[in-house]
Each structure stands twice: as C-alpha cells, then as structure tokens.
C-alpha cells in the first residue's frame, strides 16, 4: 500500500510543477483550493466505496462549499491530479480520470443521460483541459490530449489530439512525443547548414560551367568575312 504522506508530498510537488506562481510549501498547503478539493474528494471517495454513501455526499457538499469545486464522491481520480484555481469545476459520478491530469477553473465533466449507468467522460493520462471547457457524455479523451479553454466536447478525442471550439474540433491530430532520449535521431542544424551551402556551391559551379561553354562557342565561331569594299579601308 502507498504511504498516504508520500501521496500528500506528491500532490504538493504537482502543484509546484503545474503552477509557476507557486512560491513555497506553506502557500501551496493553505492557498490552493484545487489541492484541498482533491484531498477532501479522496476522503469522500473512500467513504463512498465503503458504502457510506450519505457521509461521502455530505463531505463532497462541504468540499463544494469550501472550495467551489464539485466532485461527486463516486468519481475516480488518478495520481498527480491538479485543478488550477478550482472555482466552478464539476466532475460527475461516473467520471474516470487517469494520472497527471490538469484541469483549469470552470471545467465540467458532465453527463447527457438520466440513465443510472456510465454517463460521464473517461479522461486518459497527461490530459490538459482548459478553463471553462465542457465535456459531456461517456466519451473517452485519449492520453496526452489537450482541450482548449471554452470548448464543448461531445465526441471522443484521440490520444495526443488538441481539440478547440464549439463543437470541439481537432486542430492537431497526433503530437509526436519529443525524442529527447534518442539523441542519435535529433536533427543536426550545423550539418544541415553545411549541406545547404555545398548544394548551392554545386549549383553555382554548374551555372558557371554552362556560361563558360556558351562563351567558348561564341569565341570559336569563325569571324565573319568583312565585305571587300570595306576590307582595305
Ligand atoms: C488548446 C490549447 C492547449 C492549444 O494551444 P496550442 O497548441 O499552443 O495551439 P495554438 O495556440 O497554436 O492554436 C492552434 C489553433 O487553435 C485555435 N485555438 C487555440 N485555443 C483555442 C480555444 N480555446 N478556442 C478556440 N480556438 C482555439 C487557435 O486560434 C489556432 O487556430 P488556427 O490554427 O486556425 O490559427 C490552448 O489554446 C488552450 O486553450 N489552453 C488552455 C489554457 C487555459 O485554460 N489556461 C487558463 C489559465 S487561468
């Protein structure tokens, strides 16, 4: 079992990683409603899973009152989750969220049906959802996807895609991961520049050769005989 203190430390570390405005640990501990919302949700989710449904609901209601973030106690949320600013976030009962997910204020992960079944989104790992975005229904958002601020998304999103607008449209389908560990495959700008200079030099040499050849032809051409009358002045 994972030590709860190491999880708390990880959450504080996540706040530093996700918010450049975070200055010190005390500030993060006391002034980050997104963090408080997550911690209260973990307790509420624990109660919910142990059939203490009303206690879970009451705690989630208190959470909403204190932080402005409404997370149903039934929602399952992965590690290193962070809500920046917090206010106005709504996460529905059957929502599933992976690891390393970042939400901004006003994000809604809501349902479109009244049926008591899976009716809220499933969010993969490393997903970023911009301020005020609304994701509706049992859709899937693939790993590494980004949802633009203010978008309304009702269709599943492919891994790595960036979706913006109303209704959400993909602007960039597959973002390739940066090859930061495969140094042998990184482009080399110096050799690229040398290759370019050599190609240009070859091009100039060819043009010069053609020019010289055409001039030589003209030089080798026999001088035209001058008319007799003009030959002796
Ligand atoms: C979606 C997002 C991640 C895309 O960032 P990006 O990869 O740098 O993309 P770009 O800015 O190059 O934009 C790509 C295209 O999407 C459009 N676009 C970007 N964000 C958009 C949005 N929220 N709504 C509508 N269109 C958007 C751009 O105008 C651009 O369109 P074009 O190709 O027709 O010119 C980013 O724009 C975003 O919304 N981030 C959320 C940040 C946030 O909520 N911060 C809150 C801080 S409090």
């Amino acid at each position: 079992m994972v030590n709860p203190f190491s999880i708390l430390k990880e959450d504080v570390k996540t706040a530093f990683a996700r918010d450049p405005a975070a200055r010190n640990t005390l500030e993060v501990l006391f002034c980050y409603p997104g963090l408080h919302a997550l911690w209260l949700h973990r307790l509420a989710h624990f109660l919910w899973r142990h059939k203490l449904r009303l206690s879970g609901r009451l705690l989630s209601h208190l959470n909403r009152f204190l932080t402005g973030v409404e997370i149903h106690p039934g929602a399952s949320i992965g590690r290193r989750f962070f809500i920046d600013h917090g206010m106005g976030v709504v996460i529905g009962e059957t929502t599933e969220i992976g690891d390393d997910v970042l939400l901004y204020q006003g994000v809604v992960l809501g349902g479109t049906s009244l049926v008591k079944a899976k009716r809220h989104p499933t969010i993969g790992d490393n997903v970023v959802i911009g301020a005020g975005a609304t994701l509706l229904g049992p859709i899937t958002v693939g790993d590494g996807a980004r949802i633009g601020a203010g978008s309304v998304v009702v269709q599943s999103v492919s891994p790595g895609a960036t979706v913006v607008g109303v209704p959400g449209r993909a602007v960039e389908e597959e973002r390739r991961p940066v090859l930061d560990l495969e140094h042998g495959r990184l482009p080399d700008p110096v050799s690229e520049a040398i290759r370019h200079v050599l190609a240009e030099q070859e091009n100039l040499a060819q043009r010069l050769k053609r020019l010289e050849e055409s001039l030589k032809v003209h030089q080798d051409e026999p001088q035209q005989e001058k008319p007799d009358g003009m030959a002796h002045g």
Side-chain angles (χ1 to χ4, degrees):
M1 180 168 160
V2 192
N3 176 353
F5 285 104
S6 69
I7 297 269
L8 294 187
K9 256 173 90 175
E10 186 179 76
D11 292 337
V12 172
K13 241 174 107 180
T14 303
F16 279 111
R18 295 300 201 173
D19 184 7
R23 278 190 200 81
N24 58 61
T25 309
L26 273 184
E27 186 190 281
V28 169
L29 284 174
F30 291 109
C31 308
Y32 277 71
L35 211 53
H36 304 152
L38 175 63
W39 289 338
L40 286 172
H41 170 70
R42 289 220 185 101
L43 264 178
H45 187 59
F46 176 86
L47 295 172
W48 186 264
R49 281 194 299 124
H50 288 81
K51 307 287 179 221
L52 296 165
R53 300 280 156 98
L54 182 62
S55 312
R57 282 291 280 161
L58 285 170
L59 192 55
S60 123
H61 187 63
L62 179 71
N63 192 357
R64 179 181 187 272
F65 183 74
L66 294 173
T67 65
V69 172
E70 183 173 332
I71 311 177
H72 192 284
S76 81
I77 297 180
R79 302 269 296 267
R80 296 172 297 280
F81 175 68
F82 187 62
I83 305 174
D84 205 359
H85 308 293
M87 188 59 84
V89 166
V90 176
I91 299 177
E93 179 187 359
T94 60
T95 304
E96 294 159 83
I97 298 179
D99 294 331
D100 302 291
V101 169
L102 168 62
L103 307 189
Y104 287 97
Q105 72 275 14
V107 167
V108 174
L109 304 177
T112 48
S113 132
L114 300 178
V115 180
K116 283 186 184 296
K118 169 74 175 163
R119 60 189 186 285
H120 299 100
T122 298
I123 311 293
D125 297 337
N126 287 303
V127 171
V128 175
I129 307 183
T134 299
L135 284 73
L136 299 175
I139 58 173
T140 301
V141 177
D143 294 348
R146 297 181 307 159
I147 311 296
S151 311
V152 175
V153 181
V154 290
Q155 306 270 348
S156 288
V157 175
S158 326
T162 297
V163 168
V164 299
V166 181
R169 65 183 168 91
V171 288
E172 194 185 354
E173 263 304 324
E174 283 284 327
R175 261 182 311 123
R176 296 192 179 282
V178 178
L179 298 171
D180 53 356
L181 294 179
E182 296 185 55
H183 299 289
R185 293 176 60 193
L186 289 175
D188 179 351
V190 176
S191 68
E192 276 298 308
I194 292 173
R195 210 183 346 266
H196 182 75
V197 169
L198 288 177
E200 199 53 38
Q201 189 184 333
E202 176 63 24
N203 183 22
L204 283 173
Q206 292 291 336
R207 288 178 65 187
L208 187 64
K209 195 170 162 209
R210 280 200 300 275
L211 190 66
E212 280 175 350
E213 277 169 4
S214 68
L215 280 175
K216 195 159 169 256
V217 168
H218 284 119
Q219 277 168 5
D220 291 349
E221 267 175 14
Q223 293 284 319
Q224 278 197 346
E225 289 285 315
K226 290 184 180 160
D228 273 353
M230 292 171 75
H232 308 287

